[in-house]
Amino acid sequence: MSSQPSSRIAVVIASTGRPTELERWVDHVKRQTFPPTRLVYAVVRSTDLPDWKKISDQVTVVDCGPGLPIQRNAALEAVVEACDIIAYFDDDFIPSSFCMEGIDALFRLYPDVVAANGTLLADGINSSGISYEEAAELVARHDSLPRAQPTVLRELAGLYGCNMVYRVSAIGRERFDEQLPLYAWQEDIDFAARVGRSGRIVKTNAFHGVHQGVKGARLPGVRLGYSQVVNPIYLARKGTLSPREATKLVLKNILMNHARCLFPEPWIDRPGRCKGNWLAVLDILRGRDHPKNILNLTR
């Protein structure tokens, strides 16, 4: 470890309906070679939490309204004055034991970096998911290998929300957009793009982990299908996603949903997503599209 002063790191987990995953985060933090300053759970109801006897008294619980941006903002307000770095992880992300140590090193080595994604050893989001046992084994195997010097691998335009880390001084008055409700598809890209106006957004080898891609408590198919079309357009109007990238993203999702609709993956509601896609297209043609319209859609 460097003799320089160490960063104060807050780990934030915004979660709904996954107490088992939250309970595991206490163990994830305990095995860090560089412990974070704070571990924060942003939850909507008491049933989102594991048994209090099974979580450390070092955990800060923030009660707030539902929706990923609302939960992440509530946690941000709780730690912004007390920390130098905020690390947002999905509840089903399994971090390397050297994760915090690497984050600390990255931000001290690269003062112009304001936000970063680490390196995923595996990601179960586009499959049926990765079991906790398999994910833990992958992480343990990685941690047994010699570690490389933390470095920037490439520049990014936005960040993947399952493992994104921010320099607090760069966040300023920026907050996650609460006009993007519930699971808030693309809110990670939007927030990173705004924070990135003050410095570099990068992918790094400084920290690693596995994203299980747990399927429970995710957005229903119709609502997600609507968001897949409307949210990129909303961000293009805001200027945090280029019109070209927004168009590519919308067309990619529509084509993928329809191509696989007849033989859908068991873990994806492709018919629901197709329906949501078309509801979004109709709203756009009528000039009444908005991300919050999903609140009025049935499952």
Side-chain angles (χ1 to χ4, degrees):
M1 292 293 293
S2 169
S3 60
Q4 297 182 43
S6 298
S7 305
R8 300 169 299 166
I9 302 175
V11 171
V12 170
I13 316 293
S15 183
T16 303
R18 294 183 181 173
T20 299
E21 282 72 22
L22 282 187
E23 181 181 334
R24 288 172 178 156
W25 264 97
V26 175
D27 292 330
H28 298 337
V29 166
K30 284 180 178 177
R31 59 182 174 78
Q32 292 297 309
T33 57
F34 178 100
T37 304
R38 303 277 290 276
L39 172 59
V40 183
Y41 295 164
V43 297
V44 178
R45 57 187 69 86
S46 61
T47 52
D48 296 329
L49 294 167
D51 187 332
W52 276 107
K53 296 178 182 178
K54 296 180 180 179
I55 62 175
S56 167
D57 58 4
Q58 301 302 310
V59 176
T60 300
V61 176
V62 177
D63 297 310
C64 49
L68 201 49
I70 293 173
Q71 291 171 254
R72 283 178 166 165
N73 282 339
L76 173 57
E77 297 295 346
V79 302
V80 70
E81 299 295 334
C83 293
D84 308 304
I85 296 168
I86 296 181
Y88 287 99
F89 294 109
D90 278 5
D91 48 24
D92 59 344
F93 182 83
I94 315 301
S96 160
S97 296
F98 304 103
C99 197
M100 301 301 128
E101 183 179 338
I103 290 169
D104 173 63
L106 174 75
F107 282 97
R108 287 192 284 107
L109 286 169
Y110 297 92
D112 59 338
V113 169
V114 298
N117 268 152
T119 299
L120 288 177
L121 304 173
D123 189 358
I125 198 66
N126 291 318
S127 69
S128 59
I130 300 171
S131 72
Y132 177 73
E133 292 73 22
E134 181 182 353
E137 173 60 29
L138 287 170
V139 169
R141 194 180 310 155
H142 168 268
D143 284 355
S144 69
L145 300 173
R147 284 182 291 143
Q149 173 76 5
T151 188
V152 168
L153 300 177
R154 66 175 184 270
E155 307 288 324
L156 298 174
L159 294 182
Y160 183 16
C162 77
N163 72 123
M164 55 183 183
V165 184
Y166 292 91
R167 192 185 297 275
V168 169
S169 60
I171 293 175
R173 299 180 63 85
E174 298 292 351
R175 296 296 183 267
F176 291 90
D177 189 345
E178 296 183 9
Q179 293 299 306
L180 300 170
L182 303 180
Y183 188 60
W185 201 70
Q186 297 294 297
E187 45 77 42
D188 44 3
I189 298 295
D190 173 62
F191 184 70
R194 287 183 279 120
V195 175
R197 291 166 181 163
S198 62
R200 297 167 70 198
I201 308 173
V202 303
K203 182 178 179 62
T204 179
N205 69 342
F207 59 102
H208 298 73
V210 173
H211 183 214
Q212 290 181 257
V214 173
K215 299 302 181 273
R218 290 196 177 274
L219 205 61
V222 174
R223 287 176 169 175
L224 180 54
Y226 189 94
S227 296
Q228 286 179 327
V229 175
V230 167
N231 288 17
I233 292 173
Y234 173 80
L235 298 189
R237 290 169 181 159
K238 285 182 64 176
T240 54
L241 190 64
S242 72
R244 179 181 178 182
E245 288 301 314
T247 301
K248 284 174 57 178
L249 193 56
V250 168
L251 291 177
K252 175 184 174 182
N253 286 312
I254 290 176
L255 291 174
M256 181 68 73
N257 290 334
H258 286 73
R260 297 188 175 178
C261 189
L262 291 178
F263 302 99
E265 307 89 331
W267 59 88
I268 296 180
D269 178 13
R270 291 291 181 187
R273 291 188 187 186
C274 289
K275 179 180 178 181
N277 290 164
W278 283 106
L279 289 173
V281 170
L282 289 174
D283 275 0
I284 291 167
L285 294 175
R286 296 168 183 163
R288 59 171 80 163
D289 57 295
H290 191 279
K292 281 193 170 182
N293 287 351
I294 64 170
L295 298 175
N296 299 319
L297 297 179
T298 61
R299 292 174 180 270

